[in-house]
Amino acid sequence: MEIIELGAVEIAKAVKSGELSALEVVSAHLSEINEHDGDVGAFLLVMADRAIERAKEIDKRRSGGEELGALAGVPVALKDNIVLQGVETTCASKILSGWEPPYTATVIEKLISQGAIPIGKTNLDEFAMGSSTENSAYFPTRNPVKLDRVPGGSSGGSAASVASRFAPIAIGSDTGGSIRQPASLCGVVGVKPTYGLVSRYGLIAFASSLDQIGPFAKSVDDASLVLSVIAGHDGMDSTSSRTATYEHAPNESDISSLRIGVIQEMMSDVSNDVLGVFNQSLDALRSCGAKVETVSIPAVRYGLSSYYLIAPAEASSNLARFDGVRYGLRVTGADMNETYGLSREAGFGPEVKRRIMLGTYALSAGYYDALYGKAQKVRTLIVSEFARAYSDFDVLVSPTSPTVAFGFGDKSDPLSMYMSDVCTIPSNLAGHPAMSVPFGGGADGLPVGVQILAPALSERVMFQVARALEGASTYMAKPQWAH
Amino acid sequence: MSADKISSNETRHIAHLARLALSEAEIEDFTGQLAAILEHAKDIESLNLDDVAPTRHALPIKNVMRSDEVRKSVNREEVLRMAPETQANMFLVPKIIGED
């Protein structure tokens, strides 16, 4: 098998045994990037020299008989809103152009400590705000499966890098679906863990009560392995859970005793081709012995409205730090206030401004209770309705995205773009884990992902169901150039 | 709540609060777009949630403390290197009080 087709588990095993050198692994992926990333645009920055350096180091350690770690020699692509000391990080925004962070995110430290090799920083919707990666201030990323389609977003570059075979695994962030939706559109596995399971130290904040870091991979087991590496308490993140852990349990796929609920309200805005694939996935779950039944969670209908008040409100506060004082772009005006206004006007793109405006409005005097306060109450409603559903079911399922990958410019109206997240948002509002697993081909053969939702810290059963789905599917998304 | 009645003056005021020196064209665009988004958000208005407590955060965590001890922090030179303007190991900004 070609090196670029190998998964993380296989690569780590081969590097540890000496069957492959880390340098061979990195070189194979770098040459794939050289050949095809001009068409895809998954990376804002390729860290070729650093990656080669690091690979040689790992090979040297191996010949010295040292322990290499669970991800020995595995290249990893990193969403460019997660910091690595001394490597330009922009959040795909002009306001951070040229910024080199003075510290490294905990997730990256953990990946490196287990032998993973950062290979590049991936493109995203500016500050992770969007569902297509068209909001990058630099360039849009194309869907490798069909280059005239978007890869989804906001972690579009990370999803595309894995789907393109530029890296076997990638890291993204998910505030309202930003890992799961692009995973679905690109035909890869994407996981949003339980809120607090993975440290966010070094993730540039968008909406702090919703943001969570998670993995992309070509297989369920690879995603599970990566999650086990990055999970765990971190004193540098005050929202990191002290008790939460995740242990990789490979090959667990028996779901014969499980009760699986199909969320009725998440079927209504879904296109027919996606519904067709989703229904096949339900048949597959039944064939594996699971009890599959429909469940109604009426409050998820209000998830979108609640999210588009809460997330912008938190963003308007988080993004106040970009003021041209300590880092990033400064446009000097007559006084400090004018300097703030001009710097932010020049540095932020339209979607970021729109969300800051919306959030500022939702938090402003006279609207706070009616908008932000009410949205937080809806959040409680969603949490309690999920709790009720989980008294009858072990996990819940839905389509990840209402449609397959759409075309560039197709959703120029902000509201229609926001609708892309209708099935993914409720898990963020509840703080629950959810993941997308590719299952079949919809319109034009484009990938369709199935979303698995689980109660807080129930990643293990979520992955069990994911493995069962993966085992029942023969679908494999291929880059356009591989046909 | 009068979300549907958002005026361009209101948009201008919000832009000032958010410290965004928006152009007139942006003010016009955002006035329409904010109205449309807020119109959609109106579906939660009809819900009676008087007895429901707000969820601010998914975890039952508050006031996380750490012991008060000296720890390694980020390097000052590296932080200042990334600032638009510095002087004497400090961030330099336009004058904020008084006249020359």
Side-chain angles (χ1 to χ4, degrees):
Chain A
M1 203 185 218
E2 265 191 283
I3 291 176
I4 55 160
E5 294 298 332
L6 297 175
V9 172
E10 296 160 308
I11 289 174
K13 197 175 156 207
V15 168
K16 281 189 226 176
S17 72
E19 199 184 317
L20 279 176
S21 70
L23 187 59
E24 283 175 288
V25 174
V26 162
S27 305
H29 287 94
L30 284 174
S31 87
E32 204 65 11
I33 293 170
N34 274 335
E35 200 164 332
H36 296 294
D37 199 40
D39 293 330
V40 178
F43 288 100
L44 288 169
L45 181 82
V46 178
M47 297 159 55
D49 294 344
R50 263 187 189 242
I52 288 169
E53 201 60 33
R54 173 101 185 107
K56 286 179 178 166
E57 222 172 90
I58 288 172
D59 289 332
K60 206 165 131 196
R61 282 176 47 200
R62 187 195 168 266
S63 46
E66 287 178 56
E67 196 59 49
L68 295 183
L71 294 171
V74 177
V76 56
L78 305 164
K79 188 177 184 179
D80 200 32
N81 60 350
I82 303 174
V83 302
L84 174 49
Q85 187 172 358
V87 177
E88 184 183 12
T89 300
T90 65
C91 291
S93 179
K94 295 281 185 206
I95 211 162
L96 276 177
S97 174
W99 182 63
E100 292 174 5
Y103 67 107
T104 297
T106 300
V107 285
I108 301 184
E109 300 270 17
K110 287 188 169 198
L111 289 163
I112 290 175
S113 78
Q114 289 299 314
I117 302 175
I119 197 162
K121 303 297 296 284
T122 60
N123 200 13
L124 61 149
D125 286 299
E126 183 177 358
F127 284 104
M129 296 176 187
S131 310
S132 69
T133 317
E134 288 169 289
N135 294 336
S136 167
Y138 297 97
F139 47 81
T141 298
R142 294 171 178 279
N143 191 318
V145 182
K146 202 167 184 294
L147 292 167
D148 63 357
R149 303 297 176 102
V150 303
S154 68
S155 314
S158 286
S161 71
V162 173
S164 299
R165 310 323 191 218
F166 296 157
I169 55 169
I171 298 296
S173 65
D174 189 314
T175 305
S178 282
I179 291 175
R180 291 160 285 159
Q181 184 258 13
S184 178
L185 269 48
C186 290
V188 298
V189 177
V191 183
K192 183 206 95 73
T194 301
Y195 186 83
L197 178 59
V198 176
S199 167
R200 299 181 304 167
Y201 179 67
L203 169 67
I204 296 171
F206 160 15
S208 305
S209 80
L210 306 166
D211 297 340
Q212 189 59 198
I213 292 175
F216 288 92
K218 288 181 281 196
S219 73
V220 174
D221 261 337
D222 277 4
S224 168
L225 176 65
V226 176
L227 180 58
S228 72
V229 168
I230 62 176
H233 180 251
D234 176 17
M236 296 302 282
D237 174 3
S238 63
T239 62
S240 155
S241 163
R242 284 188 181 277
T243 49
T245 54
Y246 176 71
E247 222 171 289
H248 177 51
N251 308 321
E252 266 186 15
S253 63
D254 179 12
I255 59 165
S256 58
S257 62
L258 295 186
R259 301 158 304 166
I260 298 174
V262 182
I263 305 173
Q264 195 182 311
E265 288 76 10
M266 288 189 184
M267 315 275 276
S268 50
D269 301 313
V270 175
S271 64
N272 282 332
D273 59 320
V274 172
L275 263 188
V277 174
F278 180 66
N279 284 328
Q280 288 168 22
S281 78
L282 299 182
D283 290 340
L285 292 171
R286 286 192 190 97
S287 307
C288 294
K291 194 183 97 183
V292 181
E293 277 169 23
T294 303
V295 59
S296 175
I297 307 183
V300 302
R301 283 203 206 104
Y302 304 103
L304 198 71
S305 294
S306 171
Y307 176 85
Y308 276 100
L309 293 170
I310 291 172
E314 294 184 9
S316 72
S317 166
N318 273 325
L319 270 62
R321 61 169 61 87
F322 301 101
D323 57 6
V325 173
R326 290 154 299 165
Y327 34 67
L329 181 73
R330 173 187 292 184
V331 178
T332 306
D335 56 21
M336 200 58 231
N337 259 330
E338 207 179 296
T339 301
Y340 291 145
L342 293 173
S343 302
R344 291 160 64 77
E345 168 66 8
F348 290 138
E351 183 60 29
V352 175
K353 289 179 194 169
R354 187 153 40 240
R355 301 228 191 162
I356 290 174
M357 292 289 290
L358 186 57
T360 306
Y361 183 84
L363 292 175
S364 63
Y367 298 110
Y368 182 94
D369 286 334
L371 296 174
Y372 187 62
K374 197 116 191 203
Q376 288 185 319
K377 289 181 169 188
V378 170
R379 208 172 165 178
T380 306
L381 219 56
I382 290 173
V383 170
S384 61
E385 287 190 15
F386 267 132
R388 197 175 326 130
Y390 286 127
S391 67
D392 293 325
F393 297 97
D394 298 290
V395 300
L396 304 172
V397 292
S398 78
T400 307
S401 158
T403 64
V404 295
F406 43 92
F408 293 89
D410 280 4
K411 296 186 192 270
S412 52
D413 162 47
L415 249 179
S416 75
M417 185 69 86
Y418 296 172
M419 294 291 183
S420 308
D421 302 330
V422 69
C423 298
T424 48
I425 279 172
S427 301
N428 299 82
L429 291 171
H432 292 170
M435 68 189 286
S436 181
V437 184
F439 191 80
D444 298 318
L446 287 163
V448 172
V450 174
Q451 180 176 228
I452 308 160
L453 307 86
L457 296 175
S458 300
E459 272 83 0
R460 188 162 175 166
V461 65
M462 178 177 84
F463 274 106
Q464 253 169 276
V465 177
R467 280 191 199 91
L469 280 177
E470 185 180 54
S473 167
T474 52
Y475 178 81
M476 176 71 91
K478 276 199 186 125
Q480 191 175 311
W481 55 87
H483 286 287
Chain B
M1 175 163 102
S2 55
D4 49 339
K5 291 192 192 105
I6 181 164
S7 65
S8 48
N9 270 341
E10 213 168 349
T11 308
R12 215 167 272 123
H13 173 63
I14 297 294
H16 170 71
L17 292 177
R19 299 293 184 269
L20 286 168
L22 299 182
S23 67
E24 273 311 304
E26 284 177 308
I27 297 279
E28 286 317 305
D29 282 354
F30 285 144
T31 302
Q33 289 166 351
L34 293 187
I37 297 164
L38 291 166
E39 178 64 28
H40 182 269
K42 275 181 137 186
D43 63 356
I44 64 172
E45 251 189 303
S46 59
L47 297 169
N48 182 354
L49 300 173
D50 292 346
D51 301 330
V52 178
T55 297
R56 298 195 169 85
H57 202 274
L59 291 176
I61 298 179
K62 47 186 164 186
N63 297 340
V64 177
M65 308 289 210
R66 66 165 175 86
S67 48
D68 183 18
E69 56 197 22
V70 178
R71 293 195 301 193
K72 199 170 150 263
S73 184
V74 290
N75 179 284
R76 183 168 68 189
E77 280 67 39
E78 267 193 71
V79 171
L80 290 170
R81 191 169 64 85
M82 285 296 122
E85 250 186 299
T86 60
Q87 194 176 74
N89 282 332
M90 287 179 277
F91 299 112
L92 190 63
V93 296
K95 192 166 259 185
I96 50 170
I97 34 169
E99 293 292 312
D100 291 283

